[in-house]
């Protein structure tokens, strides 16, 4: 029964994480391709993000403040290959949302637009989009997009997946300059074993306690629920 419980909890966690990650990627895509239309003027971008944040927050959509919207846009630009992981219904939604921007006057038939999007999204990472969203939480990816160097980022993607690192462990390895130490080390196997030992002591990388997941599902952490009970709030 414990095995069944753990397996189904893991499946639920993966499913929620994939949905959350795709939602954030699609928000970033919509902002860049439809709202911004590739415009990179800072003043326009600030006004746009403020307006979108106000509208989305008023509609009760979680984690859509101005800072997060910038993060989603950067997520979309950093990982264009995630388009390959979209289910058919979301692919059609994406095409319908940005068709005017991408295909107006281009002579491209809208029926071929899905394949064009996939082909035009040249991966900046060696890892396929489906693997990324199934093996890493959005909180992992939010840390990785802060790495400007593509080779460095790809290194941490591979190590994070291989070692099943928690977000905390990923941060620790980045801050300890694991990539740089690995490049200088003459015993890379030993260095990797040490990193793996640290990862083995870490929490599962798709923990349901992730604050992004709590807010995405409209849940409150246990501490908040306890505060409500002790305060007498029904």
């Amino acid at each position: 029964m414990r095995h069944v419980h753990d397996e189904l909890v893991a499946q639920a966690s993966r499913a929620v994480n994939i949905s959350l990650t795709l939602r954030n990627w699609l928000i970033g895509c919509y902002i860049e391709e439809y709202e911004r239309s590739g415009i990179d003027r800072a003043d326009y971008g600030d006004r746009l993000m403020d307006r979108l944040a106000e509208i989305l927050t008023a509609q009760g959509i979680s984690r859509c403040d101005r800072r997060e919207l910038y993060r989603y846009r950067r997520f979309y630009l950093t990982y264009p290959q995630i388009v390959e992981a979209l289910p058919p219904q979301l692919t059609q939604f994406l095409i319908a949302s940005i068709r005017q921007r991408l295909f107006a006057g281009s002579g491209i038939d809208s029926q071929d637009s899905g394949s064009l999007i996939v082909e035009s999204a040249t991966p900046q990472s060696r890892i396929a989009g489906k693997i990324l969203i199934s093996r890493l939480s959005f909180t992992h990816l939010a840390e990785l997009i802060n790495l400007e160097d593509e080779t460095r980022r790809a290194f941490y993607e591979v190590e994070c997946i291989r070692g099943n690192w928690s977000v905390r462990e990923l941060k620790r390895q980045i801050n300890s300059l694991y990539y740089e130490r690995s490049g200088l080390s003459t015993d890379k196997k030993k260095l990797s074993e040490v990193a793996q030992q640290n990862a083995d002591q870490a929490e599962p990388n798709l923990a349901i306690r992730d604050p992004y997941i709590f807010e995405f599902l409209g849940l409150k952490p246990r501490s908040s629920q306890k505060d409500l009970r002790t305060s007498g709030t029904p």
Side-chain angles (χ1 to χ4, degrees), residues 162 178 188-198:
R162 186 181 64 82
Y178 178 45
K188 292 181 173 55
K189 181 178 180 181
K190 180 63 176 179
L191 188 64
S192 180
E193 288 174 353
V194 172
Q196 182 62 55
Q197 290 172 1
N198 291 327

Side-chain angles (χ1 to χ4, degrees), residues 131-175:
I131 296 176
L132 282 172
I133 67 172
S134 64
R135 298 295 303 277
L136 298 177
S137 71
F138 178 73
T139 310
H140 284 96
L141 295 167
E143 291 296 325
L144 290 167
I145 63 176
N146 292 326
L147 303 177
E148 297 288 347
D149 184 85
E150 293 182 15
T151 304
R152 186 169 177 241
R153 185 170 60 246
F155 171 85
Y156 284 111
E157 291 167 3
V158 171
E159 290 298 302
C160 193
I161 291 174
R162 186 181 64 82
N164 193 36
W165 290 353
S166 67
V167 175
R168 179 180 298 179
E169 182 62 19
L170 172 60
K171 289 180 179 180
R172 197 188 74 79
Q173 294 292 353
I174 293 174
N175 292 334

Side-chain angles (χ1 to χ4, degrees), residues 65-82:
D65 57 66
R66 182 174 177 270
R67 180 180 179 182
E68 293 294 342
L69 293 181
Y70 272 111
R71 177 174 288 147
Y72 301 155
R73 174 180 174 264
R74 187 171 185 178
F75 176 43
Y76 164 71
L77 293 173
T78 303
Y79 291 109
Q81 71 268 34
I82 287 179

Side-chain angles (χ1 to χ4, degrees), residues 221-234:
R222 183 173 298 178
S223 59
S224 298
Q225 294 173 344
K226 181 179 179 181
D227 291 343
L228 289 174
R229 289 197 298 270
T230 56
S231 66
T233 303

Side-chain angles (χ1 to χ4, degrees), residues 16-161:
V16 173
N17 172 70
I18 289 172
S19 295
L20 170 65
T21 303
L22 290 178
R23 184 207 75 157
N24 295 345
W25 188 90
L26 283 166
I27 290 175
C29 175
Y30 181 82
I31 290 172
E32 177 64 16
E33 303 295 350
Y34 186 80
E35 291 288 351
R36 291 176 60 91
S37 298
I39 297 175
D40 201 28
R41 296 199 304 270
D43 57 343
Y44 172 78
D46 287 342
R47 293 198 306 272
L48 170 64
M49 295 303 191
D50 287 337
R51 180 174 62 84
L52 288 177
E54 181 179 353
I55 293 172
L56 294 174
T57 301
Q59 293 180 359
I61 301 177
S62 64
R63 291 271 182 164
C64 280
D65 57 66
R66 182 174 177 270
R67 180 180 179 182
E68 293 294 342
L69 293 181
Y70 272 111
R71 177 174 288 147
Y72 301 155
R73 174 180 174 264
R74 187 171 185 178
F75 176 43
Y76 164 71
L77 293 173
T78 303
Y79 291 109
Q81 71 268 34
I82 287 179
V83 70
E84 301 168 358
L86 292 177
Q89 63 271 29
L90 289 181
T91 301
Q92 292 304 315
F93 172 79
L94 174 63
I95 293 169
S97 297
I98 64 176
R99 181 184 290 119
Q100 183 177 3
R101 147 106 167 97
L102 291 178
F103 307 111
S106 66
I108 299 173
D109 190 279
S110 61
Q111 298 299 317
D112 299 327
S113 56
S115 59
L116 177 62
I117 292 174
V118 174
E119 292 171 1
S120 63
T122 303
Q124 297 176 1
S125 167
R126 298 177 182 177
I127 301 176
K130 290 182 179 180
I131 296 176
L132 282 172
I133 67 172
S134 64
R135 298 295 303 277
L136 298 177
S137 71
F138 178 73
T139 310
H140 284 96
L141 295 167
E143 291 296 325
L144 290 167
I145 63 176
N146 292 326
L147 303 177
E148 297 288 347
D149 184 85
E150 293 182 15
T151 304
R152 186 169 177 241
R153 185 170 60 246
F155 171 85
Y156 284 111
E157 291 167 3
V158 171
E159 290 298 302
C160 193
I161 291 174

